[in-house]
Amino acid sequence: MLRKSILTTLTYFDIFNHPLTTQEVHLFLGIETDIKSLIDELQKMVGEGLVSTNGRWYALQDIHRISKIREQRNDCAMDALKKAIVMGNLIYRFPFVKAVFVSGSLSKGVMDKKSDIDYFVITEPGRLWMCRVLLMSFKKICLLNSRKYFCINYFIDTDHLTIEEKNQFTATELITLIPLKGQAYLKKLFDNNSWVFRFLPNFKFGQLVDEPVRIVTVYEKILNSFFFDPIEKICYSIHVLYWRVRFGRMMNPEAFKIAMKSKAGISKSHPLNAQERILRIFTEKIKAFEIYQ
């Protein structure tokens, strides 16, 4: 079981040309085990030619080629994370924002020159779509619509913390979130998504850092009154219509519902539908590997 789980884990990250350290293999492993047992098995697999290593990282493919890729991406990520912290603090100051996390490739400690910095935002209930409009308006006006350092593609509110898609991709994305602001909500997020531990049982929730209580401004209190409830509905309706017109023909209805999920309390905008694509490739690779075996 341990050997099969190691191969499965390395297969998943080989899709991204992303070799793993021993600690990372352990974190993303599909079964619960201790580090010593994992190291012993990895050494056996390296000796048998099943796994490639350069002493630092492990992979199934040419370790020398993809280790250079990871080194370059690690260097790029160090600079990008500094920018993400600045932007995360800015996002946190917007009305109704409760927490800001880094997601996507940067949350795995890697980034290339073409990548965007992705953010996962938790908002006040009943004001997610107004919050989204305010943030997107800032991006379009003040950042000239650049998404390089300001790609907010996932919003949920505090009443909808349970993630509906329960799979390897989503579990991996959740445990690698980097909290920038509102760390208490990270614990609440995992309390509402305990299914993650079925996929990644070696993940352990870390220590939270105390943060000052976020100050709610007067104009935020005004916008949160029931008088603005119709505005929230209008913001929601406009976004749904826009996404259907722009992206509805690019994917089948089921894929559209997942990639461009839009409902009260949830806003997801992934036009490239990476989740479906990655899981499909992953499944095909696992099947091919099992046939080969």
Side-chain angles (χ1 to χ4, degrees):
M1 284 295 292
L2 178 56
R3 174 167 294 205
K4 182 178 180 181
S5 186
I6 291 171
L7 291 171
T8 300
T9 300
L10 294 178
T11 296
Y12 183 83
F13 283 93
D14 265 12
I15 297 172
F16 307 95
N17 289 320
H18 187 77
L20 301 176
T21 64
T22 304
Q23 289 73 23
E24 288 170 339
V25 175
H26 184 253
L27 174 64
F28 297 115
L29 211 59
I31 63 172
E32 190 170 3
T33 190
D34 59 272
I35 285 286
K36 184 180 183 306
S37 298
L38 173 62
I39 292 174
D40 291 343
E41 190 61 34
L42 279 170
Q43 290 176 344
K44 291 178 184 177
M45 296 171 74
V46 169
E48 296 171 19
L50 291 173
V51 172
S52 179
T53 185
N54 63 353
R56 181 182 181 186
W57 293 312
Y58 294 89
L60 298 183
Q61 53 180 304
D62 179 10
I63 191 66
H64 300 293
R65 180 181 67 85
I66 63 173
S67 63
K68 291 180 181 178
I69 294 174
R70 175 153 187 186
E71 285 173 358
Q72 293 170 353
R73 290 174 174 173
N74 284 159
D75 292 341
C76 188
M78 290 178 65
D79 181 59
L81 186 57
K82 296 175 184 177
K83 294 181 173 65
I85 292 171
V86 173
M87 284 297 183
N89 287 329
L90 177 62
I91 293 168
Y92 190 62
R93 294 175 182 272
F94 273 70
F96 315 121
V97 174
K98 293 295 185 181
V100 184
F101 310 122
V102 169
S103 59
S105 61
L106 183 56
S107 69
K108 286 78 175 172
V110 295
M111 188 173 178
D112 58 42
K113 294 180 179 179
K114 296 181 180 179
S115 301
D116 301 323
I117 298 179
D118 298 315
Y119 301 92
F120 183 104
V121 175
I122 298 178
T123 75
E124 182 84 16
R127 286 295 180 267
L128 181 150
W129 292 95
M130 285 179 64
C131 178
R132 194 183 195 287
V133 166
L134 291 170
L135 285 164
M136 293 304 103
S137 297
F138 169 80
K139 185 189 78 167
K140 291 181 182 296
I141 297 170
C142 300
L143 301 180
L144 303 178
N145 205 32
S146 172
R147 53 183 290 159
K148 179 69 176 176
Y149 304 113
F150 202 84
C151 183
I152 309 175
N153 51 26
Y154 211 131
F155 291 79
I156 57 174
D157 71 26
T158 55
D159 285 347
H160 296 82
L161 294 177
T162 302
I163 306 300
E164 295 175 345
E165 295 81 34
K166 299 174 176 60
N167 53 53
Q168 180 79 26
F169 179 90
T170 309
T172 301
E173 293 305 304
L174 281 174
I175 72 160
T176 54
L177 287 173
I178 300 176
L180 299 179
K181 286 293 183 179
Q183 292 196 31
Y185 284 97
L186 187 61
K187 176 65 166 60
K188 294 179 181 180
L189 191 61
F190 284 110
D191 287 343
N192 282 269
N193 292 279
S194 57
W195 58 268
V196 165
F197 299 98
R198 298 201 307 268
F199 286 89
L200 305 168
N202 295 309
F203 171 69
K204 299 294 187 293
F205 190 81
Q207 185 69 33
L208 291 173
V209 177
D210 291 334
E211 288 182 315
V213 177
R214 181 180 178 275
I215 298 174
V216 179
T217 60
V218 174
Y219 71 89
E220 184 174 344
K221 291 180 180 179
I222 294 172
L223 290 173
N224 209 16
S225 67
F226 71 92
F227 293 106
F228 286 88
D229 288 349
I231 304 298
E232 171 75 3
K233 294 178 181 178
I234 291 171
C235 292
Y236 165 73
S237 299
I238 290 174
H239 271 86
V240 170
L241 178 61
Y242 172 74
W243 282 340
R244 283 177 180 169
V245 171
R246 182 173 180 183
F247 302 113
R249 296 180 181 179
M250 294 172 55
M251 56 190 84
N252 63 60
E254 192 59 35
F256 180 82
K257 283 170 60 178
I258 294 174
M260 308 300 294
K261 182 172 292 186
S262 305
K263 58 174 74 174
I266 304 174
S267 171
K268 180 181 175 183
S269 54
H270 292 160
L272 297 179
N273 201 10
Q275 179 180 172
E276 182 184 53
R277 178 173 57 83
I278 295 302
L279 288 176
R280 184 182 69 251
I281 295 172
F282 178 55
T283 301
E284 291 171 355
K285 282 181 173 289
I286 292 298
K287 287 182 178 178
F289 184 80
E290 289 176 346
I291 291 173
Y292 177 76
Q293 286 293 95

